[in-house]
Amino acid sequence: MSSTAEIVPIAWKQVGPPAAGAAAVSARRITERAYPLRYLGLVVLCLILMKPILVDQDPSLAPLVKAATAVVFSGLVLAHLLRRPPLSPVFLLFVFYRLAFLPPTLYHGGDLLNWGYATVAQVSLFLLIELHADAGPDARRRLLRVIADLLLAYLVINYLMILTGTSRTFTMDGQFAQPSYLLGIRTRVTDCIFTAVLVSALYDSGSSRRIGWRTLLALAIGAVQIISLQVATAAVGAGIGVVFYCLARMQPDGGGRGLVSMRGITVMGLLVNVLVVGARIHVHFAALLGHLFGKSVTLTGRTDLWDAAFPILGESPLFGYGINYSFGAFIPGASGLAWQAHNQYLQLMYDGGVAAVCLFLLLLLTAGAHVDRTSLKPRARAVFIAVYAAMSIMMVTEIYTYNMALFYLIPFLGARAGRLTGSADHEGSRSR
């Protein structure tokens, strides 16, 4: 029989000496107790970088948030210099993409401060994701949880404001007055719904549950607001999302091949934009548009905006006009009225020309390639594909790259999807 002297060293080799074990338990307890503070601190950072539109409309809050964004950006840059985590190719592409807007903004005397602030906020959000993706599993889970909780809170508050009639009046140069809620005018709720579903589903994929309450709440509160606000674009997006989710779930790994992949959807989205905006293929479905959505072939006047935009874009196709250069005054007959093109790609061409559009597509293709190749759980990949397909088609009539960086969460999270969800975090883990 072995003596106690023989057993103790073996036990120490397996679990470590008593002092080390006590230290580990103590460190674990400190970490658990610090979780609420870390959670709240991360909430504050995300709230600053992803502020609701209502904050921009408040003359006292907007400057404070902009100053706070500069402080957060400085802190995140310092953290990256100290930790030196690897930066994803998508991050570098995003930086070049934002820089594409700078020369035309300077040349045409555009809104340089707006470009700088939006760039700093969006880059900061990406830096925050990159930092957490390179940290431990607890930090990654906490980031996904914070973003999911914050977006859900936005949706709930926005709906409560709608129910209680609490709103501000939004106008454009004194015209087109309409109520604006936490997330903006009624159609802007679309931006938040789909990304909230995506982030909640990614958070759920890190646990053993099939679907969590966050995902269910995002789906429920999103559906209620789409129906109550009668947002036709969001209804179309929801239908497309359901179709692509089902198609992805029919594949063994939840999609990632051919059309049912992030890269396939990027190409499909661009093709649909060309067919609708350029070729006007939707005129052949006039009866369907009128019956289901109450829309004419002008898509609530959007075709008039596109027709007005084409000659303006033709005057500076390569580099565009820069940020906030009168937005092109795309509304026919409304001289001097600043407005947007109501199409993602036309607006990007106006702001940064073909150069910005090409970098935008390269950014999406690179992020999509990572999602397609990395080993995600089938349900998580299917949700990625469904949400991205919905927003890619909705880009035909809406712009999603200027609102709270919500659309950018798709490529930002996609660039680190494997790491954030605890799956394989290297390119090529799935053969194609």
Side-chain angles (χ1 to χ4, degrees):
M1 181 178 293
S2 300
S3 66
T4 303
E6 293 173 336
I7 296 176
V8 171
I10 296 174
W12 280 16
K13 289 179 183 178
Q14 293 174 347
V15 299
V25 171
S26 178
R28 192 182 305 113
R29 287 176 179 173
I30 293 174
T31 301
E32 291 172 353
R33 291 174 181 174
Y35 184 90
L37 293 178
R38 293 187 179 187
Y39 176 87
L40 291 175
L42 198 53
V43 167
V44 172
L45 292 181
C46 291
L47 182 60
I48 292 171
L49 301 178
M50 296 164 45
K51 67 184 187 306
I53 289 178
L54 191 62
V55 173
D56 277 331
Q57 298 174 357
D58 191 302
S60 58
L61 287 178
L64 293 177
V65 174
K66 290 180 179 179
T69 301
V71 173
V72 171
F73 174 72
S74 301
L76 289 171
V77 170
L78 180 60
H80 268 263
L81 292 175
L82 293 175
R83 300 183 190 179
R84 296 187 180 278
L87 295 174
S88 66
V90 180
F91 177 83
L92 300 177
L93 279 171
F94 183 76
V95 172
F96 285 120
Y97 161 70
R98 287 302 304 177
L99 288 174
F101 298 106
L102 181 57
T105 301
L106 290 172
Y107 182 77
H108 291 282
D111 194 344
L112 185 61
L113 290 178
N114 184 285
W115 170 85
Y117 166 65
T119 300
V120 165
Q122 292 163 3
V123 169
S124 296
L125 181 60
F126 208 161
L127 286 173
L128 187 66
I129 293 172
E130 294 276 275
L131 273 174
H132 283 76
D134 196 58
D138 291 340
R140 302 169 198 164
R141 291 278 293 164
R142 183 165 54 247
L143 177 66
L144 289 177
R145 180 182 175 185
V146 164
I147 296 177
D149 290 350
L150 193 62
L151 297 184
L152 288 173
Y154 288 164
L155 287 174
V156 171
I157 295 171
N158 194 75
Y159 189 56
L160 290 176
M161 291 181 69
I162 294 169
L163 289 177
T164 59
T166 305
S167 64
R168 287 174 176 250
T169 301
F170 172 80
T171 63
M172 181 63 71
D173 290 353
Q175 301 183 50
F176 304 103
Q178 55 185 309
S180 179
Y181 307 101
L182 180 72
L183 297 171
I185 60 175
R186 69 181 185 88
T187 56
R188 292 267 63 95
V189 70
T190 305
D191 306 46
C192 194
I193 291 171
F194 293 88
T195 45
V197 172
L198 172 61
V199 181
S200 297
L202 289 178
Y203 179 78
D204 286 345
S205 72
S207 64
S208 58
R209 75 190 78 178
R210 292 180 60 84
I211 184 169
W213 67 266
R214 288 177 177 83
T215 305
L216 292 174
L217 178 59
L219 290 169
I221 196 69
V224 167
Q225 293 192 67
I226 290 173
I227 294 170
S228 62
L229 295 174
Q230 298 181 351
V231 186
T233 302
V236 172
I240 291 170
V242 169
V243 170
F244 271 85
Y245 179 81
C246 294
L247 290 174
R249 293 293 284 149
M250 291 170 62
Q251 294 189 6
D253 296 323
R257 296 178 177 83
L259 179 61
V260 189
S261 68
M262 298 289 285
R263 289 167 291 180
I265 290 169
T266 300
V267 176
M268 178 198 70
L270 180 61
L271 180 61
V272 171
N273 271 270
V274 171
L275 290 175
V276 175
V277 180
R280 305 292 164 86
I281 192 174
H282 65 281
V283 300
H284 300 293
F285 305 95
L288 183 63
L289 288 171
H291 179 69
L292 290 181
F293 307 108
K295 298 284 186 181
S296 68
V297 292
T298 67
L299 301 176
T300 319
R302 284 169 173 78
T303 55
D304 296 330
L305 297 178
W306 302 339
D307 289 338
F310 290 145
I312 298 173
L313 298 177
E315 295 177 4
S316 183
L318 293 180
F319 302 106
Y321 295 89
I323 301 299
N324 282 6
Y325 180 70
S326 298
F327 287 99
F330 294 136
I331 294 183
S335 177
L337 181 62
W339 198 246
Q340 45 130 318
H342 261 297
N343 174 267
Q344 183 66 71
Y345 288 99
L346 290 184
Q347 190 67 45
L348 287 176
M349 267 200 77
Y350 181 76
D351 292 337
V354 174
V357 171
C358 290
L359 285 169
F360 180 68
L361 288 170
L362 187 58
L363 168 77
L364 297 181
L365 287 169
T366 304
H370 182 77
V371 176
D372 292 338
R373 289 171 178 166
T374 199
S375 295
L376 292 174
K377 288 186 178 180
R379 184 175 291 104
R381 191 192 312 281
V383 173
F384 241 121
I385 288 171
V387 169
Y388 185 49
M391 299 201 79
S392 295
I393 299 302
M394 291 189 295
M395 282 182 187
V396 172
T397 59
E398 300 296 337
I399 298 173
Y400 293 110
T401 57
Y402 299 140
N403 184 17
M404 297 167 53
L406 288 184
F407 173 81
Y408 288 127
L409 275 175
I410 298 176
F412 289 178
L413 295 174
R416 293 292 192 169
R419 297 280 290 172
L420 290 170
T421 60
S423 305
D425 58 352
H426 58 278
E427 299 277 349
S429 62
R430 301 174 75 227
S431 60
R432 282 284 174 267

